Amino acid sequence: MPEGYPDISVIVATRDRPGLLERAVASILQQDYPGRVECIVVYDHVDVRDLGVTAGPDRSLKLINNTHKQGLPGGRNSGVDVATGELLAFCDDDDIWLAAKLSRQVELLADPAVGAVSCGLRLRGPGIDKERVLERDLVTHEDFLADRVMEVHSSTMLVRRTTWEAAGQVDEGIPGGYSEDYEWLLRVSTHTPVAVVRRALVIVDWHGGSFYFGRWATIVEAQRYLIRKHPDLAQHRAGLARLRGQIAFALASSNRRTEAVRELAAVIRLNPWEKRVLVTVPVILRLMTGERVLRMAQKRGKGI
């Protein structure tokens, strides 16, 4: 290992998307980082397929099966199980890293007080090409309690192995794996602030849709699970209102109107300025569907 450049293991969990997966893996193996980079592709309970990607010097590629619970959390945990690097990173199978990502992030890990690093991203897809870069150097636990901080995307994260061990694995018990990345960040940030490279070094392939699109019951269960697991969220009225606002919107979208009204009343008591109040009321009144509201938001590169 070149001095000052720790080995890095990058986990890509996939159900196998030919073309997109090769593109993601190539962007990892073509990093300008001088140290060793190990890319681990974890196939989620589908057959392992060879990839036509050349590893190159100080680069290696492992193809394995998910040995944990089916889903993205289990895939990431399976990858870490076999990872050999001192540093760990994650990349979605349809995202792309710019060549300088790892080099710039490792520079910030020279500070021993920092155990995790993110970076800016660019949303790119049909009708959208938009940079999202934080104008701050650190994201703290308090920040994550108050807001999801969408710029800290799973594909941007690089963490020390010691941070992973302190925070624990990705939660495989969260319903449907929904918000698993946010739940993990809540635990990570209790051990270290997340440093930020103020430059867009990841391209997120924005489809204008989601695996969770329309899975309203899963969203309700997952957000309630999150609130139960992290009681410190209750100390942040705005942050709790945000999560309960998502629950209210999902309840309204699935025609559970009485429950939605009750949940929305709680949101207003917590934070009457919570933005999800405005998008949930038309759904409760059946003036718009939840799917239409969500499509409109996603066209602007936002979620609900």
Side-chain angles (χ1 to χ4, degrees), residues 190-250:
T190 63
H191 299 281
T192 176
V194 177
V196 178
V197 177
R198 295 193 192 185
R199 180 178 164 192
L201 296 173
V202 173
I203 298 173
V204 173
D205 197 340
W206 190 259
H207 308 293
S210 168
F211 172 72
Y212 297 101
F213 198 93
R215 298 180 63 195
W216 307 119
T218 297
I219 293 171
V220 170
E221 293 171 10
Q223 300 300 65
R224 287 177 172 167
Y225 176 97
L226 188 65
I227 293 168
R228 289 194 303 270
K229 183 171 179 179
H230 293 274
D232 48 351
L233 283 165
Q235 299 173 19
H236 286 259
R237 295 177 68 89
L240 184 59
R242 174 178 55 84
L243 293 174
R244 296 193 69 172
Q246 290 175 336
I247 292 171
F249 180 80

Side-chain angles (χ1 to χ4, degrees), residues 248-303:
F249 180 80
L251 289 169
S253 299
S254 55
N255 293 315
R256 295 161 65 178
R257 298 176 70 201
T258 301
E259 294 174 81
V261 169
R262 277 201 305 266
E263 197 69 34
L264 198 61
V267 172
I268 294 170
R269 288 194 296 271
L270 286 165
N271 179 15
W273 296 279
E274 165 55 44
K275 66 180 182 179
R276 288 159 189 84
V277 173
L278 292 177
V279 297
T280 301
V281 170
V283 180
I284 290 175
L285 297 177
R286 296 178 179 169
L287 301 175
M288 297 180 71
T289 65
E291 286 82 0
R292 183 181 176 190
V293 174
L294 194 55
R295 287 192 183 94
M296 290 170 61
Q298 290 181 333
K299 284 181 180 179
R300 300 194 303 271
K302 299 181 181 296

Side-chain angles (χ1 to χ4, degrees), residues 22-43:
E22 278 85 353
R23 185 185 66 178
V25 170
S27 75
I28 294 165
L29 296 176
Q30 292 168 8
Q31 289 289 294
D32 65 13
Y33 180 66
R36 286 194 283 266
V37 178
E38 168 187 67
C39 180
I40 303 167
V41 178
V42 185
Y43 287 83

Side-chain angles (χ1 to χ4, degrees), residues 53-243:
V53 180
T54 302
D58 289 322
R59 302 290 183 263
S60 63
L61 177 61
K62 294 180 181 177
L63 309 174
I64 68 170
N65 282 119
N66 178 4
T67 57
H68 287 247
K69 182 178 179 181
Q70 185 172 359
L72 183 58
R76 289 184 176 153
N77 292 336
S78 294
V80 175
D81 284 349
V82 303
T84 62
E86 179 183 338
L87 305 180
L88 303 170
F90 305 93
C91 183
D92 288 352
D93 64 359
D94 56 348
D95 293 340
I96 305 168
W97 285 3
L98 301 189
K101 177 185 183 291
L102 293 179
S103 294
R104 293 293 302 274
Q105 290 184 302
V106 170
E107 290 174 4
L108 296 188
L109 287 175
D111 182 351
V114 173
V117 184
S118 179
C119 64
L121 55 85
R122 177 181 288 275
L123 297 178
R124 184 177 292 171
I128 188 167
D129 190 350
K130 178 180 180 181
E131 280 197 0
R132 298 179 68 163
V133 181
L134 289 173
E135 293 301 320
R136 51 182 145 159
D137 295 323
L138 293 174
V139 185
T140 67
H141 184 61
E142 295 293 312
D143 294 328
F144 283 119
L145 289 173
D147 184 57
R148 167 60 184 86
V149 192
M150 296 303 295
E151 291 83 357
V152 185
H153 186 280
S154 55
S155 290
T156 72
M157 290 298 294
L158 176 69
V159 303
R160 300 185 195 274
R161 181 176 287 275
T162 52
T163 299
W164 170 269
E165 292 169 350
Q169 295 185 330
V170 183
D171 188 346
E172 298 177 24
I174 193 166
Y178 184 80
S179 288
E180 45 72 31
D181 50 351
Y182 177 52
E183 192 284 322
W184 181 70
L185 284 169
L186 285 172
R187 286 184 282 124
V188 166
S189 60
T190 63
H191 299 281
T192 176
V194 177
V196 178
V197 177
R198 295 193 192 185
R199 180 178 164 192
L201 296 173
V202 173
I203 298 173
V204 173
D205 197 340
W206 190 259
H207 308 293
S210 168
F211 172 72
Y212 297 101
F213 198 93
R215 298 180 63 195
W216 307 119
T218 297
I219 293 171
V220 170
E221 293 171 10
Q223 300 300 65
R224 287 177 172 167
Y225 176 97
L226 188 65
I227 293 168
R228 289 194 303 270
K229 183 171 179 179
H230 293 274
D232 48 351
L233 283 165
Q235 299 173 19
H236 286 259
R237 295 177 68 89
L240 184 59
R242 174 178 55 84
L243 293 174

